Amino acid sequence: HPSFYGSKITAGFFHSNRLGFLSKDNVIMSQSGDFYNFYFKSAQTTIESDPIDISCSSVRPTSLHAVIPTAQGVILFSENQQFIMFADAGVLTPSLTTIRALSNYEMDRKIDPVDVGTNINFITKTPGYSRVFSMITRGQQENPQVLDISRVVKEWISEDVDHIIASPQNSMIAMSGQSLNEVFLFRYYNDGKENLMDSWVSWLMPGTVQFTEIIADTM
């Protein structure tokens, strides 16, 4: 049986023509092109289209809860560590797929990270306030660049934020909480090499914010 059999599935995703699930410290992906088949065709030999079932090896307790597929590989997130799943040949197969630790940043497991096109943003909670980190992956064998983009507004973002959205077209992320009447926004301008300008602002709303979404440049 696949590793999620009898266990809780914490996230699902599509990548490389496969349907994938996270369960505990395992990543399970279906047969290539056969999204509902998680069983090997033969117990005697392995073919490239067989399912992928691989575990994150770490000295820390690892429970994966979020995933973002990227060009460099599949980025996996746990509360205390981040991983990348990749294959040197570029195509994920049962025999060639490996998982390597990327970084060791704490993150809130209840708030999924968001992809802002060139980087990934995730939230870390501390007593009294929240911090927002930006991660730029640089390939399978390179350590990522991770910046605390909320450092300039330290202790300003509420610890009660529970939702984050991103708009890559508008170079913007926004955070809200169902117990808050304030929305925190970060905007930046990138010339293709670096951020030339960035800013934090907040909107005060007439009531508590139950959800936020951006569709076709409309928030």
Side-chain angles (χ1 to χ4, degrees), residues 77-98:
F77 296 86
S78 70
E79 260 186 301
N80 300 299
Q81 220 169 356
Q82 293 77 47
F83 303 85
I84 183 171
M85 183 174 71
F86 66 97
D88 288 330
V91 179
L92 298 180
T93 65
S95 57
L96 298 178
T97 301
T98 58

Side-chain angles (χ1 to χ4, degrees), residues 25-87:
D25 61 346
N26 300 299
V27 184
I28 309 98
M29 301 181 74
S30 69
Q31 283 196 13
S32 180
D34 191 356
F35 299 144
Y36 303 108
N37 190 349
F38 289 86
Y39 290 89
F40 289 81
K41 291 186 176 180
S42 169
Q44 295 179 322
T45 183
T46 301
I47 59 177
E48 292 187 350
S49 61
D50 272 342
I52 297 169
D53 199 330
I54 190 171
S55 174
C56 296
S57 56
S58 176
V59 295
R60 301 183 178 189
T62 303
S63 179
L64 301 173
H65 63 84
V67 54
I68 292 183
T70 68
Q72 289 80 20
V74 180
I75 311 300
L76 309 166
F77 296 86
S78 70
E79 260 186 301
N80 300 299
Q81 220 169 356
Q82 293 77 47
F83 303 85
I84 183 171
M85 183 174 71
F86 66 97

Side-chain angles (χ1 to χ4, degrees), residues 127-202:
Y129 64 97
S130 300
R131 289 185 290 187
V132 184
F133 286 88
S134 172
M135 173 189 288
I136 301 175
T137 56
R138 301 189 297 172
Q140 295 94 341
Q141 305 302 326
E142 295 283 341
N143 290 328
Q145 286 183 342
V146 182
L147 300 173
D148 181 0
I149 61 175
S150 61
R151 181 181 295 274
V152 294
V153 289
K154 188 177 181 181
E155 301 185 21
W156 178 64
I157 302 172
S158 172
E159 64 176 333
D160 294 325
V161 296
D162 56 26
H163 185 56
I164 181 172
I165 60 172
S167 175
Q169 296 88 346
N170 296 292
S171 303
M172 183 182 76
I173 61 173
M175 289 155 287
S176 62
Q178 291 192 337
S179 62
L180 299 172
N181 68 337
E182 193 170 12
V183 178
F184 303 90
L185 300 102
F186 176 74
R187 295 201 66 181
Y188 63 92
Y189 171 71
N190 191 294
D191 67 347
K193 295 181 181 179
E194 60 181 352
N195 286 358
L196 300 181
M197 293 186 292
D198 51 46
S199 65
W200 283 96
V201 297
S202 69

